[in-house]
Amino acid sequence: LEPAPEGQTKASTEAPASGPSKRSRRASAPRIARIVSAETLEHPEIDALFAKMFEVDPFAQWPEAKPEVAAMLSASGTVAFLAIAGGEAVGLAMLQMPTNTLLPIPSVSHFFVDGRRTAVKAALTDAVVDFIAGSGYTRFVALNSTRATDKAWRKAFRAAGSAKVVGSVMEFTIGA
């Protein structure tokens, strides 16, 4: 793990206008770290969080997906962020940066926050959007591969700008 680059997580550096002092707000703000090696997946708490994230994925399950995620983290193009609040790993985001012309803009493939943690969701969203913008992109796509509504995804990323549906994912069962 490494801290997200300075200026890439607004939530960790900007405090709300009201409430506790700046000092206590910073101490309680979620921390965002970038996962930079596949070995991080071996940490029991992080492994368990990935397992929770994949519980809502209709296409893949943990631990079967673990070797592929490890390979993706080791290859260029995949970026993952971990949110830590109260000393616990509570959120994950994975995105794929463009590596070919078939999808020439970044793609958020997974976004998960354990529980209703508004500050964590905001910090994780900021980390993703700031990383994409800091890489020179002005657009990205998000693949809703969860059981959450598209409305929930639009709400999670509303601070990034307006969203529009540009396609959809359909699953077909052969012979059914």
Side-chain angles (χ1 to χ4, degrees), residues 18-174:
S18 62
S21 70
K22 282 186 179 181
R23 184 181 211 174
S24 64
R25 281 183 290 201
R26 280 194 201 114
S28 62
R31 289 187 314 116
I32 305 297
R34 184 170 170 197
I35 299 174
V36 294
S37 77
E39 290 78 31
T40 305
L41 300 177
E42 298 307 319
H43 187 283
E45 186 179 9
I46 295 170
D47 181 72
L49 189 61
F50 268 94
K52 282 184 178 182
M53 180 173 74
F54 273 85
E55 284 176 5
V56 296
D57 188 318
F59 304 118
Q61 292 300 304
W62 203 258
E64 292 83 7
K66 187 175 181 177
E68 188 170 338
V69 171
M72 290 169 67
L73 289 172
S74 298
S76 65
T78 298
V79 179
F81 290 102
L82 172 69
I84 302 162
E88 296 181 37
V90 295
L92 291 164
M94 287 180 58
L95 59 139
Q96 280 65 50
M97 298 302 287
T99 57
N100 61 54
T101 57
L102 293 177
L103 186 59
I105 61 174
S107 172
V108 178
S109 60
H110 292 84
F111 189 90
F112 175 77
V113 175
D114 191 17
R116 295 184 172 271
R117 301 168 191 259
T118 304
V120 172
K121 194 177 295 180
L124 200 52
T125 300
D126 285 346
V128 168
V129 173
D130 289 349
F131 183 86
I132 291 169
S135 297
Y137 294 93
T138 58
R139 309 180 296 144
F140 67 95
V141 295
L143 172 64
N144 180 0
S145 61
T146 67
R147 291 177 180 91
T149 65
D150 286 348
K151 181 180 176 182
W153 277 74
R154 284 192 303 271
K155 183 178 176 184
F157 286 98
R158 72 176 163 225
S162 63
K164 66 178 179 178
V165 176
V166 293
S168 58
V169 175
M170 291 177 250
E171 179 180 20
F172 295 90
T173 302
I174 298 172

